Amino acid sequence: MTEPSSTILSAFFTLKGDNYLQFVTDFNRQSWPLQISSLILCMWLLWLLHQNNRSKTITRIFAICWIWVGCYFHYHFYTSLTPMAVFDAIAFAVQGCLFFLLSGKIQFHSPYHDRNSKIGYAGLAACMLLPTLAASFSGQSWWQISLVGMMPTPTALATLALLLLTTSKYRFLLAVIPFGWCIIAGVTHLNIGMHDWFVAPLVALIACGLMMSEHRKVTSQS
């Protein structure tokens, strides 16, 4: 008799590199032209971070992105590859709800406020714009691009980058699910033989390390 844990693990690790990339291609083709909206939204967010008193708007936009990715990507599409995606959808919906609940309690700094803010803004811009620019120069298919607000890993990485622009006590709570997803994404990509498997976990570790370093610095000064 098959152990329940073995069944769960085998359901999770059912992907291969080729069919995953084909899945991404099919997802992007079926989602067109939502990618245009995603790019416009990304540029708007980068602009908002230069404006005063826009923290609530930024937080709510990220809330919508997390809920959208959970419902649209994980539940509507990703469950066709693995039933475990239902749990991913729930986690992403929870993250979106947390952003909504905390939208009036978080203030984001100017991108030029300090070192972490500069790194966070640069990381946010990279998550939002680099995939499109990289595809333009590398010859990668446009249908294989992962965009913030459309797919989970760039959304999680963008969130961790955004949290570098705040010293709110809630930033660690908001970092748990994005960090966890980056680790899961890395393990999944390693399992299916993708060469970039280490990128998301590494970036997530660096972002969380910078947050912890800033927290210790603030604590020691208080």
Side-chain angles (χ1 to χ4, degrees), residues 115-116 160 164 171-172 175 179 201-217:
R115 181 199 63 177
N116 274 10
L160 292 173
L164 288 175
R171 68 190 184 278
F172 295 108
F179 179 81
L202 178 61
V203 173
L205 285 169
I206 292 172
C208 289
L210 289 171
M211 278 189 272
M212 289 298 298
S213 176
E214 179 68 20
H215 176 71
R216 286 196 296 268
K217 180 181 177 181

Side-chain angles (χ1 to χ4, degrees), residues 157-183:
L157 290 172
T159 300
L160 292 173
L162 177 72
L163 294 175
L164 288 175
L165 284 98
T166 181
T167 52
S168 168
K169 63 182 180 181
Y170 299 110
R171 68 190 184 278
F172 295 108
L173 174 63
L174 289 170
V176 172
I177 292 176
F179 179 81
W181 174 259
C182 289
I183 301 301

Side-chain angles (χ1 to χ4, degrees), residues 7-66:
T7 303
I8 292 173
L9 287 173
S10 62
F12 185 77
F13 295 116
T14 54
L15 306 180
K16 296 298 179 186
D18 291 341
N19 51 327
Y20 177 76
L21 290 176
Q22 184 59 51
F23 165 77
V24 173
T25 299
D26 293 342
F27 169 77
N28 279 322
R29 287 183 184 277
Q30 293 179 49
S31 301
W32 179 261
L34 291 175
Q35 291 87 345
I36 296 175
S37 300
S38 173
L39 290 171
I40 293 172
L41 181 66
C42 289
M43 290 185 284
W44 184 39
L45 279 166
L46 293 174
W47 177 80
L48 284 175
L49 284 166
H50 289 276
Q51 313 306 310
N52 296 323
N53 303 318
R54 297 302 181 110
S55 295
K56 184 178 289 188
T57 301
I58 293 167
T59 307
R60 289 179 176 176
I61 290 172
F62 267 82
I64 293 170
C65 285
W66 275 86

Side-chain angles (χ1 to χ4, degrees), residues 65-114:
C65 285
W66 275 86
I67 293 173
W68 170 255
V69 172
C71 294
Y72 185 68
F73 178 85
H74 282 301
Y75 187 76
H76 188 60
F77 282 94
Y78 203 37
T79 48
S80 66
L81 284 185
T82 170
M84 291 295 291
V86 172
F87 298 101
D88 299 334
I90 293 171
F92 271 62
V94 168
Q95 179 72 13
C97 290
L98 285 174
F99 264 120
F100 267 122
L101 291 172
L102 299 174
S103 60
K105 300 179 180 180
I106 299 175
Q107 294 296 318
F108 295 107
H109 301 307
S110 159
Y112 310 110
H113 178 73
D114 56 16

